[in-house]
Amino acid sequence: MVGLLQPRQMTSFCAIASVANCIPYSSSFSSNKPSFFKHQRKDPVVKFTCRAKNDDQRPETTTKNGENSPEKLDRRDVLLGLGGLYTTSLAVNPMAISKPALPDFKDCIEATQPNGTPINCCPPPLVDEVTDYCPCATTVNIRKAAQSFTVDSDYYKKYSKAIQKMKNLALSDPRNFLQQANVHCAYCDGGYTQQGHPNLLYEIHNSWLFFPWHRWFVYFFEKICQNLIDDDTFALPFWNWDAPAGMQIPPIYNSGVTSPLYDTLRNPKHLPPSVVNLEWFNDDATVEPEVQIKYNLAIMYRQMITQSKTQIDFFGNPIRDGDDVPKISASGTIEITPHNHMHSWTGTSVDPNNPINMGVFYSAARDPIFSAHHTNIDRLWTIWLNQLKGTNITDPDWLNAYFIFYNEEAKPVRVRIQDGLDITRLGYAYEEVPIPWLDASAKPKSRTKAKTLPSAPDPAQVFPTTLDKPINVIVKRPKKSGSGSSEEILVIEGVEYDKRSYVDFNVYINEDDVNACRPDNAEFLGSFSNLPHGHQMSVKTDRQFRISEVLEELGAQDYDRVLVTLVPKSNPVKINGIKIKFDP
Ligand code: C2O
């Protein structure tokens, strides 16, 4: 393990990286030119800043928009690169005229707290010209599991010094700790509208923007830490809540009020030795820690494997130019659970109307543990790609979507999703720690398999309805005709709720006694959750579950109907229907 801790030197990597991999922002893209270029000359110079160690190795590249870079990169290479992307995605996206959904940075507007009170969480306004950023790290720092550090370690001293310095910066400095939290707030609580659509709010949750946006956020947060302690080998830790060793608030975040890594606004019931509940919703368990750990591992398996078979499952729904985000968005599996649930576990008091820092998006990043929560989310992305053989989206509307962050020098930079997909270029990797959930699949409750289902109404007799008590319905399975996928998806259609409210409900299949069903039972499909954020607005979304594998596990693959049970855990939501369809 020790060998892993040394940053790896990568001598010649950067010289190739930024040119070959950071395709200049294309000219067709410049018709989309963001409003922060408003004072710019007509023919903008696209400037890639490259923070290589050796200037001779990787000079700053300045290239005229649309032209070859000074490195004389063969234009064919660039086009081939683009062509590759576009060809693949045209196949998936016949509506290729679409464009990415982009945030409008011209004006950051007032956001709203869940109780409706407006909050100004706009980071300091952009004064400097925004530079296009192309990462090209020359070394790789290892992000380690937070539980491996003690509070008397040198690492802890460094880390807390960096956070203290961030907290001490003037509020006018966008690198200030609170301003960094504001960057998150503005991006998700309605601080920005969508470029070209002043009536549509922009937002980075509940869609395919979730993973990449948070990766870039944490990336610059880490760079700022490095800069403030003048140590570019510094790496943030990850909160390894997916493995037993990390299933508590790590000691470095819990060392008392004087520690810069401490936050008083956490659920007092969940301080160590309380074990995390990856699907918590105001339901403090009475189970023993070992049992909760077993549940957590099954939840991880379900979310990362059983329910994450495709890109849409894992990343969430596409969001494109002009989409009304709250209307069409749907989160990926991991964003819902454990991401949302770990926010509320950490930062929601027993009274869900009284959220505290982590429990609600506008204030979540005011808790220093936020970045460790998100490095772990980011690590799960790498596990899904590497261990679980998932693949990244190739749709240009994802690849070309961009965000603005402040870099370690407090300068605004524009980053595209496609330039953040290779974490080696970003200069970090994750320490390899055991992943015990890889073989923790849920098992059917012990009873006769595929027993006769109790009688229950047809969905058409029940929906639409308000989910204010448990609902049972018997849903017919579709008949498979012709070729095409035979993978069945259970769709909870049109889940409607106010975006500012906590929402949570559980979904079970072929379970006649939900009170006795546990997270490590295959009958428990998972949950739906919303963390309060944004302006008052009604959201209508579908929640889907893959059921073919589960039905097989339950020995019910030959039955022509299934029993579905919804159990509310929060404010009631409206549900419009339930059906089973084949995976398109
Ligand atoms: Cu943007 Cu974990 O939140």
Side-chain angles (χ1 to χ4, degrees):
M1 240 357 119
V2 178
L4 267 182
L5 305 185
Q6 302 306 322
R8 286 203 307 265
Q9 296 297 318
M10 295 190 308
T11 39
S12 60
F13 180 73
C14 232
I16 327 154
S18 70
V19 182
N21 293 338
C22 280
I23 301 159
Y25 287 61
S26 68
S27 40
S28 64
F29 196 60
S30 66
S31 62
N32 262 339
K33 209 169 292 139
S35 43
F36 48 73
F37 280 119
K38 59 181 188 258
H39 304 305
Q40 227 184 353
R41 55 207 157 240
K42 272 236 183 74
D43 177 21
V45 171
V46 177
K47 200 171 169 195
F48 287 147
T49 54
C50 190
R51 314 219 59 78
K53 280 253 179 65
N54 285 333
D55 281 346
D56 55 8
Q57 186 184 59
R58 179 64 228 122
E60 186 169 273
T61 308
T62 303
T63 145
K64 276 274 172 59
N65 202 11
E67 287 178 22
N68 292 354
S69 72
E71 273 74 3
K72 302 258 187 315
L73 175 73
D74 189 332
R75 185 162 174 80
R76 268 176 322 166
D77 293 346
V78 177
L79 292 173
L80 277 176
L82 277 169
L85 301 176
Y86 279 90
T87 325
T88 337
S89 48
L90 274 170
V92 252
N93 174 23
M95 310 277 293
I97 320 181
S98 60
K99 293 191 289 184
L102 299 170
D104 189 338
F105 293 87
K106 192 169 48 206
D107 306 296
C108 179
I109 53 178
E110 218 163 47
T112 332
Q113 299 179 43
N115 63 10
T117 344
I119 174 173
N120 184 342
C121 62
C122 295
L126 296 176
V127 269
D128 298 302
E129 188 182 308
V130 179
T131 316
D132 291 335
Y133 183 84
C134 180
C136 52
T138 49
T139 55
V140 169
N141 298 323
I142 304 297
R143 292 181 177 169
K144 290 191 70 190
Q147 74 268 14
S148 51
F149 300 110
T150 59
V151 289
D152 48 23
S153 60
D154 287 344
Y155 179 82
Y156 172 79
K157 284 180 202 131
K158 253 192 214 179
Y159 183 19
S160 46
K161 183 170 160 200
I163 300 297
Q164 189 59 57
K165 285 192 154 190
M166 270 173 111
K167 290 183 172 177
N168 293 348
L169 290 171
L171 267 179
S172 56
D173 189 325
R175 301 169 305 167
N176 168 284
F177 185 77
L178 184 66
Q179 296 294 17
Q180 284 291 300
N182 282 344
V183 168
H184 182 247
C185 172
Y187 265 105
C188 65
D189 282 276
Y192 302 120
T193 55
Q194 244 189 76
Q195 248 181 67
H197 307 277
N199 300 326
L200 296 177
L201 290 177
Y202 180 81
E203 116 114 298
I204 42 89
H205 295 103
N206 314 117
S207 79
W208 68 4
L209 300 179
F210 171 74
F211 278 102
W213 187 91
H214 289 83
R215 166 171 289 176
W216 278 117
F217 175 84
V218 172
Y219 173 84
F220 287 109
F221 189 90
E222 186 173 72
K223 286 263 174 249
I224 294 169
C225 290
Q226 291 175 354
N227 179 279
L228 293 176
I229 55 172
D230 197 17
D231 177 356
D232 54 15
T233 66
F234 174 79
L236 288 167
F238 60 90
W239 183 3
N240 187 199
W241 36 245
D242 58 306
M247 286 183 189
Q248 290 186 6
I249 292 183
I252 54 171
Y253 294 100
N254 192 47
S255 67
V257 282
T258 54
S259 164
L261 304 184
Y262 191 79
D263 184 13
T264 47
L265 297 177
R266 292 181 189 143
N267 186 331
K269 287 191 160 183
H270 294 164
L271 302 178
S274 174
V275 171
V276 305
N277 175 349
L278 297 184
E279 210 146 25
W280 184 84
F281 188 83
N282 198 11
D283 45 358
D284 281 302
T286 45
V287 298
E288 293 300 313
E290 320 68 80
V291 179
Q292 185 60 54
I293 288 172
K294 195 161 69 104
Y295 293 169
N296 288 339
L297 295 177
I299 291 169
M300 285 307 304
Y301 184 97
R302 189 222 307 142
Q303 297 299 99
M304 286 290 287
I305 300 177
T306 318
Q307 297 296 338
S308 280
K309 299 271 191 263
T310 65
Q311 291 170 342
I312 289 202
D313 292 346
F314 185 75
F315 290 98
N317 261 11
I319 289 294
R320 302 179 205 278
D321 177 64
D323 285 341
D324 189 354
V325 180
K327 292 281 173 286
I328 84 149
S329 61
S331 316
T333 43
I334 293 301
E335 183 182 352
I336 295 180
T337 311
H339 168 259
N340 284 356
H341 288 101
M342 279 306 295
H343 270 283
S344 38
W345 181 86
T346 312
T348 309
S349 62
V350 278
D351 171 10
N353 293 317
N354 182 21
I356 39 192
N357 279 345
M358 274 284 277
V360 55
F361 286 139
Y362 83 87
S363 58
R366 295 179 192 175
D367 186 334
I369 211 167
F370 176 86
S371 58
H373 178 42
H374 274 283
T375 44
N376 203 39
I377 293 288
D378 190 61
R379 174 179 156 265
L380 293 179
W381 181 3
T382 67
I383 292 175
W384 192 72
L385 296 175
N386 300 325
Q387 271 92 337
L388 301 174
K389 307 290 173 231
T391 53
N392 278 326
I393 298 165
T394 52
D395 188 317
D397 290 344
W398 189 68
L399 296 170
N400 289 325
Y402 62 73
F403 318 108
I404 307 283
F405 288 100
Y406 289 97
N407 71 6
E408 65 277 23
E409 284 153 2
K411 299 281 186 242
V413 286
R414 176 161 69 150
V415 293
R416 284 181 305 202
I417 290 179
Q418 64 182 340
D419 297 326
L421 297 180
D422 176 356
I423 63 169
T424 313
R425 272 175 63 201
L426 296 175
Y428 68 85
Y430 289 101
E431 176 191 25
E432 285 187 31
V433 294
I435 312 177
W437 48 261
L438 283 174
D439 54 8
S441 65
K443 300 286 177 295
K445 270 167 71 180
S446 53
R447 61 176 169 203
T448 334
K449 281 185 171 184
K451 54 185 297 210
T452 348
L453 300 175
S455 66
D458 188 81
Q461 295 169 262
V462 176
F463 300 108
T465 190
T466 299
L467 183 63
D468 50 8
K469 54 178 180 316
I471 289 177
N472 281 310
V473 282
I474 296 275
V475 188
K476 276 203 203 70
R477 294 170 69 189
K479 291 242 181 332
K480 188 160 157 18
S481 60
S483 56
S485 166
S486 55
E487 171 98 22
E488 284 166 76
I489 313 271
L490 174 75
V491 191
I492 317 293
E493 297 177 295
V495 180
E496 276 183 72
Y497 56 92
D498 179 343
K499 209 174 168 194
R500 295 173 314 173
S501 61
Y502 277 101
V503 174
D504 215 296
F505 61 85
N506 286 349
V507 183
Y508 302 84
I509 192 160
N510 285 6
E511 174 55 71
D512 52 2
D513 181 9
V514 291
N515 292 326
C517 187
R518 304 286 169 244
D520 59 344
N521 291 137
E523 289 85 347
F524 179 43
L525 288 179
S527 57
F528 177 90
S529 76
N530 178 63
L531 277 196
H533 61 300
H535 296 277
Q536 194 272 327
M537 84 179 43
S538 150
V539 177
K540 190 168 175 181
T541 183
D542 291 347
R543 174 81 172 99
Q544 311 199 350
F545 298 92
R546 297 190 167 265
I547 56 169
S548 295
E549 208 175 294
V550 177
L551 290 176
E552 214 159 291
E553 184 73 33
L554 297 177
Q557 67 271 39
D558 297 330
Y559 290 65
D560 64 350
R561 51 200 69 210
V562 296
L563 170 70
V564 177
T565 308
L566 306 182
V567 179
K569 297 205 282 180
S570 69
N571 306 309
V573 289
K574 190 174 163 202
I575 299 204
N576 284 282
I578 291 191
K579 68 170 184 206
I580 297 174
K581 64 169 191 187
F582 289 112
D583 196 11

